[in-house]
Amino acid sequence: MKTLVSIHDVMPDTMGEVAEQLQICSQLGVGKVTLLVVPGLNWTTAQIEQICKWQAGGYELAAHGWHHKCDTISSLKHRLHSTFLSRDVAEHLSLTSDQIAALMIRSGDWFEENGFKRPELYVPPAWALGEITDNALAETGFCMVETLRGVRFPKSDRLISLPLVGFEADTAFRAFALSVFNGIVAGTSKNRLLRVSIHPHDHKLRLQDSLRKILNNSDESFDYASLGIGYGLQKPRKAIV
Ligand SMILES: [Zn+2]
């Protein structure tokens, strides 16, 4: 099985869990992992240095929202999404197109301001991109934007549809729903590149065995940059020497 593994919600409060998960991935032979960093929080210098070390060690970084929390929930659509899927993290959903674009650009800027290369990938919290126009999305400068359906390439207006499994099972109901969902995905997506989305506490929650099994079954792991190169949608990055 080929996998595209990402760890969501890399935040000041989750650095310990993220380190544990990177160790588990490494032990199970998954070398490529993408870290989804939430910029707009109270980062310490030591924590930023740790992320720098992870990047230097070969882990890809992606921008993941701004502060990962909604300021307001103003529309019915957003309220339903919040109740059934995203709780209060889908910070794009009550914003206008211009506001979403500004949030994404600010998120990307944070990486450069803190000594990182600007990420090629943006993942909106809860994969909820909101009502941003195609032109505004292309102008944010991100090569790739991940949604529930797959990975969008805004500059070429292409979408690579990829199956997704998740393990954020902090209640019995979510464990049941995710098990059914993951089972359907696994049964219908054989031989396709599988997105494995991990949240920072998943290795201690109800689906921890299922998560380890999927990681253990990964024969080859990819990051998002290699995905773009493989599909010929962006130029290869320069080799780091
Ligand atoms: Zn998130």
Side-chain angles (χ1 to χ4, degrees):
M1 185 173 57
K2 293 183 168 72
T3 54
L4 188 60
V5 176
S6 59
I7 299 179
H8 286 231
D9 306 350
V10 178
M11 299 173 171
D13 290 348
T14 63
M15 292 290 282
E17 285 79 12
V18 172
E20 290 168 9
Q21 293 186 336
L22 285 174
Q23 196 171 11
I24 292 169
C25 287
S26 174
Q27 285 165 351
L28 296 177
V30 176
K32 294 263 174 74
V33 179
T34 301
L35 301 174
L36 275 53
V37 180
V38 181
L41 301 172
N42 292 324
W43 290 99
T44 66
T45 305
Q47 288 166 336
I48 289 174
E49 283 171 3
Q50 178 58 63
I51 297 175
C52 270
K53 283 182 192 161
W54 284 334
Q55 187 181 43
Y59 295 116
E60 177 182 45
L61 303 184
H64 187 47
W66 175 247
H67 55 31
H68 207 269
K69 213 163 184 55
C70 304
D71 291 327
T72 56
I73 297 182
S74 56
S75 67
L76 176 62
K77 184 178 169 187
H78 189 175
R79 187 155 299 285
L80 291 171
H81 195 282
S82 166
T83 302
F84 292 106
L85 192 64
S86 59
R87 297 173 178 165
D88 64 347
V89 309
E91 60 186 319
H92 285 208
L93 288 187
S94 284
L95 302 181
T96 64
S97 177
D98 285 349
Q99 288 170 331
I100 294 168
L103 184 151
M104 291 176 65
I105 290 166
R106 187 180 182 198
S107 182
D109 286 349
W110 178 89
F111 287 84
E112 290 183 330
E113 288 160 5
N114 286 280
F116 300 100
K117 183 174 173 285
R118 197 177 187 85
E120 294 173 342
L121 172 68
Y122 181 87
V123 185
W127 297 281
L129 185 55
E131 303 286 335
I132 184 170
T133 65
D134 291 348
N135 282 345
L137 189 63
E139 285 172 12
T140 60
F142 287 100
C143 301
M144 295 171 279
V145 177
E146 184 177 5
T147 64
L148 272 179
R149 281 187 63 200
V151 181
R152 284 178 68 172
F153 291 76
K155 286 174 189 158
S156 59
D157 205 23
R158 289 274 309 275
L159 168 79
I160 299 174
S161 176
L162 293 169
L164 168 72
V165 288
F167 303 89
E168 198 180 15
D170 54 354
T171 64
F173 174 75
R174 282 174 80 100
F176 171 74
L178 280 168
S179 293
V180 172
F181 177 80
N182 290 350
I184 293 170
V185 170
T188 55
S189 309
K190 290 201 168 65
N191 303 322
R192 292 180 67 195
L193 179 61
L194 182 66
R195 283 182 289 162
V196 179
S197 149
I198 309 174
H199 284 80
H201 298 280
D202 290 359
H203 61 306
K204 299 171 183 168
L205 298 179
R206 292 162 191 253
L207 294 183
Q208 56 178 280
D209 291 343
S210 157
L211 169 61
R212 285 170 194 268
K213 189 174 167 195
I214 288 250
L215 293 172
N216 201 31
N217 285 342
S218 173
D219 305 313
E220 193 174 7
S221 57
F222 291 82
D223 59 18
Y224 288 75
S226 56
L227 172 74
I229 294 161
Y231 280 79
L233 295 171
Q234 64 181 85
K235 291 185 183 128
R237 289 179 298 180
K238 282 183 187 162
I240 299 169
V241 290

